[in-house]
Amino acid sequence: MAGINDKILKIVRRHGRGARVYTAADFRHLGSDRAVWQALSRLTKAGKLRRLARGLYDYPRHNKLLDIQVPASADAVAAAVGAVAGDSLAAAHALGVTTAVPVRPTYLTSGQSRSRTVGNRIIDLQHAPAWLLDFKDTPAMPFVQALNWLGDNADEDVVDKLRNQMTPEIERALKNKRVPGRLREPIRMLTLAPA
């Protein structure tokens, strides 16, 4: 059994402290489900891994100044529980088209909408429509999310801000993927050459 422990530690050390949140499925290739769960339990009891919530573990970072373990990032937890992207408000904020910020981390998922409590943090997972998930592996994803969040508020100033951040890859994805009717005009405006 020590072999699985060592292999798990080798994997988490390779990624680094605080870089990821893990589930047993991340180590399924190392042995049976029971062996992996037992190894995770032993590593947690030994203080090598931290159990964040049922089925979620990390290789914690330690803040020397405060002498505490740093909480796991919301992004890492969300990725471990099946999120595919941040929410549309966060994308719009990151692109500079709004000053609004999310109150609570919300992420898109291909699964059911649900909330997950990790420590004192609640992470919301919101079901994303299939058309939006088509953009998940493209650099156009935040642009589509921002336009979706803005809705009818996507005026010429917003389009100019987004256009200044576009790349040929983003423009190609915007032109080649299907979107709902309400997004066609803002995307058409965005992909037209400025006058």
Side-chain angles (χ1 to χ4, degrees):
M1 291 300 165
I4 291 180
N5 291 6
D6 293 340
K7 290 175 184 176
I8 289 174
L9 282 177
K10 185 176 180 181
I11 290 168
V12 299
R13 285 180 177 145
R14 187 175 343 124
H15 290 114
R17 291 189 177 274
R20 287 186 57 183
V21 172
Y22 303 90
T23 67
D26 293 314
F27 309 111
R28 186 173 286 145
H29 64 284
L30 300 176
S32 69
D33 287 348
R34 182 174 183 206
V36 169
W37 281 109
Q38 288 175 343
L40 289 169
S41 177
R42 283 192 298 274
L43 290 168
T44 301
K45 285 178 186 169
K48 304 284 185 186
L49 295 180
R50 173 175 55 180
R51 183 178 182 262
L52 301 170
R54 185 173 183 205
L56 298 176
Y57 302 86
D58 78 340
Y59 186 42
R61 287 187 303 134
H62 190 81
N63 182 313
K64 291 178 184 176
L65 181 64
L66 299 176
D67 194 30
I68 61 168
Q69 285 185 342
V70 177
S73 81
D75 290 345
V77 172
V81 297
V84 294
D87 76 342
S88 297
L89 172 57
H93 179 78
L95 290 169
V97 295
T98 184
T99 56
V101 292
V103 174
R104 189 160 95 180
T106 302
Y107 296 87
L108 301 178
T109 181
S110 58
Q112 294 180 336
S113 296
R114 62 192 187 282
S115 293
R116 185 79 191 254
T117 302
V118 178
N120 61 358
R121 182 183 295 156
I122 298 172
I123 296 173
D124 291 325
L125 295 169
Q126 189 177 65
H127 176 73
W131 68 265
L132 186 55
L133 292 175
D134 284 345
F135 287 92
K136 78 174 180 161
D137 294 324
T138 73
M141 179 71 161
F143 287 77
V144 175
Q145 288 180 281
L147 290 171
N148 189 46
W149 180 79
L150 288 163
D152 293 336
N153 296 322
D155 60 16
E156 194 62 42
D157 290 338
V158 166
V159 169
D160 285 342
K161 280 185 182 179
L162 293 176
R163 188 181 293 124
N164 290 334
Q165 300 175 62
M166 291 228 331
T167 65
E169 295 81 23
I170 293 168
E171 187 170 355
R172 236 184 335 273
L174 290 173
K175 286 180 176 179
N176 294 329
K177 303 262 186 201
R178 292 178 50 188
V179 295
R182 70 183 182 282
L183 294 181
R184 288 188 189 127
E185 181 59 19
I187 287 175
R188 187 191 68 71
M189 290 169 46
L190 186 59
T191 57
L192 283 176

